[in-house]
Amino acid sequence: MIPVGLSTAAVWPRPVGAAFEAAAELGYDGVEVMVWADPVSQDVRALQRLVQRSGVPVLAVHAPCLLISQRVWSPDPVERLRRSVRAAQDLGARTVVVHPPFLWQRRYAETFPDLVAGLEDESGVAIAVENMFPVRRKLGRGRSVAVTAFRPSIDPTDVGHRNYTLDLSHASAAHMDAMELAKRMGDGLTHVHLADGSGLPKDEHLVPGRGTQPCAELLESLAPAGFTGQVVLEVNTRKAKTDADRRDLLAESLLFARLHL
């Protein structure tokens, strides 16, 4: 069976430990650790204790790539990626999720493909480069234009890597055809961030089935295509009023994934 994991980002603003608790209670196969401001997400020993306490393994580590995590572990993006790979090895995770370089990270962007390939060769960990989305720049008088913040683009297949993460919420915000993107990724599709979107130019991370993305169609295509990777729910539950409401959203997301896989 294709494992279904829960991103620790899906319980924000609750702490990382809440994701392990929810995953254990609801029957997820593991978690993906988003490394960011939460100190526990940066502490491998603390994460190992959560694994032991909950019985829930770490399936993947999401490298600190967000704007708010640019100084987590190191201001050097190369070192952040190296530490993410080491964390994955220490935690027994087989995948690291990483974003393409930002536009201003010129030196990092120039070496990024070789860096990713070299780290994969050294570690045996799959480094799955994720599709992103443009941002809107205001021009005044109610006008705006879509621009990329990533080099060379929001589509990692433009460069070519061994392993990819397909994020359906990002595809929605970018107005990209997720099924066509999956075809371009081909056998390199290693990791799926399952979440929905309505086509708005922002990263919505809706519960799957509540937007317009082909979430069911993509899931149903994975096993026949010989997919051997992982599906991780990266949904937004920050508006949940109570922990019970949040668990309901996460339970609905898991049921959707199991049903269509």
Side-chain angles (χ1 to χ4, degrees):
M1 292 180 63
I2 295 171
V4 180
L6 177 65
S7 171
T8 58
V11 301
W12 189 85
R14 298 282 288 134
V16 167
F20 282 85
E21 293 171 6
E25 178 183 331
L26 298 173
Y28 280 84
D29 297 314
V31 301
E32 175 181 315
V33 175
M34 170 72 81
V35 181
W36 57 2
D38 187 327
V40 174
S41 74
Q42 306 169 27
D43 187 335
V44 170
R45 290 187 179 181
L47 292 168
Q48 289 171 331
R49 289 193 292 270
L50 286 173
V51 170
Q52 293 172 353
R53 187 182 310 146
S54 66
V56 175
V58 175
L59 302 178
V61 172
H62 195 309
C65 305
L66 304 177
L67 287 173
I68 63 171
S69 57
Q70 289 298 291
R71 301 192 71 82
V72 170
W73 282 342
S74 171
D76 180 359
V78 174
E79 179 60 20
R80 290 200 299 272
L81 183 54
R82 290 187 184 278
R83 287 196 59 170
S84 299
V85 171
R86 290 199 296 271
Q89 290 177 302
D90 291 341
L91 292 165
R94 69 185 198 187
T95 306
V96 165
V97 178
V98 66
H99 295 175
F102 285 114
L103 276 177
W104 56 85
Q105 296 173 320
R106 294 193 178 192
R107 185 175 300 176
Y108 177 50
E110 289 170 358
T111 62
F112 184 70
D114 291 337
L115 172 67
V116 167
L119 287 173
E120 288 181 321
D121 289 339
E122 294 170 10
S123 67
V125 173
I127 302 176
V129 187
E130 187 172 6
N131 62 296
M132 300 306 293
F133 56 96
V135 295
R136 303 297 302 185
R137 177 178 293 173
K138 293 182 180 180
L139 300 177
R141 297 183 179 179
R143 296 180 302 147
S144 65
V145 62
V147 296
T148 182
F150 300 94
R151 186 182 298 271
S153 78
I154 60 174
D155 184 348
T157 66
D158 287 346
V159 175
H161 299 281
R162 294 177 194 165
N163 296 287
Y164 299 102
T165 295
L166 196 164
D167 187 304
L168 285 114
S169 178
H170 292 179
S172 174
H175 292 173
M176 297 175 71
D177 185 321
M179 297 304 296
E180 286 300 317
L181 179 57
K183 288 180 182 178
R184 291 199 300 278
M185 290 178 172
D187 293 340
L189 177 55
T190 301
H191 201 71
V192 173
H193 277 168
L194 179 59
D196 218 329
S198 66
L200 293 177
K202 63 179 182 178
D203 196 11
E204 297 176 279
H205 284 285
L206 304 177
V207 169
R210 297 191 179 189
T212 60
Q213 292 306 292
C215 296
E217 183 182 356
L218 178 70
L219 293 178
E220 290 165 5
S221 73
L222 293 178
F227 179 77
T228 59
Q230 306 150 323
V231 172
V232 169
L233 273 299
E234 197 182 60
V235 295
N236 184 343
T237 66
R238 69 176 182 269
K239 292 184 179 180
K241 294 181 179 179
T242 66
D243 284 343
D245 290 341
R246 179 172 290 104
R247 297 292 173 92
D248 287 344
L249 294 173
L250 298 180
E252 178 184 336
S253 299
L254 178 60
L255 178 61
F256 184 99
R258 297 277 193 224
L259 174 66
H260 292 288
L261 283 171

